[in-house]
Amino acid sequence: GILVDLYVPRKCAATNRLITSKDHASVQISVVDVDADGRALSTSTTFALSGAVRAMGESDDSLNRLATKAGLLRNVWSYQK
């Protein structure tokens, strides 16, 4: 037969760290593409955020940064020192 992994770990899109199986605070958010009429298409963009990012309160800023980088948002996120 074919060897199949039971668990495939995900990576946090904001920190690029592995999301372990014990991280119950992690989320995976899918943003669906829409057409000109506002109807959902079959394609989507998925972002996984770890529980550590959410606990620090950085998930909203990280999601804005990732969505801007993916071309889903404009003029929302800007780097500030």
Side-chain angles (χ1 to χ4, degrees):
I2 300 172
L3 181 62
V4 177
D5 291 333
L6 294 177
Y7 175 72
V8 178
R10 296 175 293 162
K11 275 193 165 185
C12 177
T15 62
N16 210 23
R17 292 183 180 174
L18 283 178
I19 299 174
T20 64
S21 60
K22 297 293 183 182
D23 189 358
H24 298 293
S26 64
V27 294
Q28 183 167 326
I29 299 172
S30 294
V31 181
V32 177
D33 296 329
V34 295
D35 61 5
D37 297 326
R39 284 178 272 181
L41 300 173
S42 61
T43 58
S44 65
T45 305
T46 304
F47 303 108
L49 297 174
S50 67
V53 172
R54 296 184 65 215
M56 290 186 294
E58 294 293 323
S59 58
D60 58 340
D61 189 43
S62 296
L63 190 60
N64 284 340
R65 178 177 54 84
L66 292 167
T68 302
K69 188 188 242 184
L72 301 172
L73 291 175
R74 277 181 286 178
N75 301 327
V76 174
W77 185 84
S78 63
Y79 177 74
Q80 297 175 355
K81 292 183 181 180

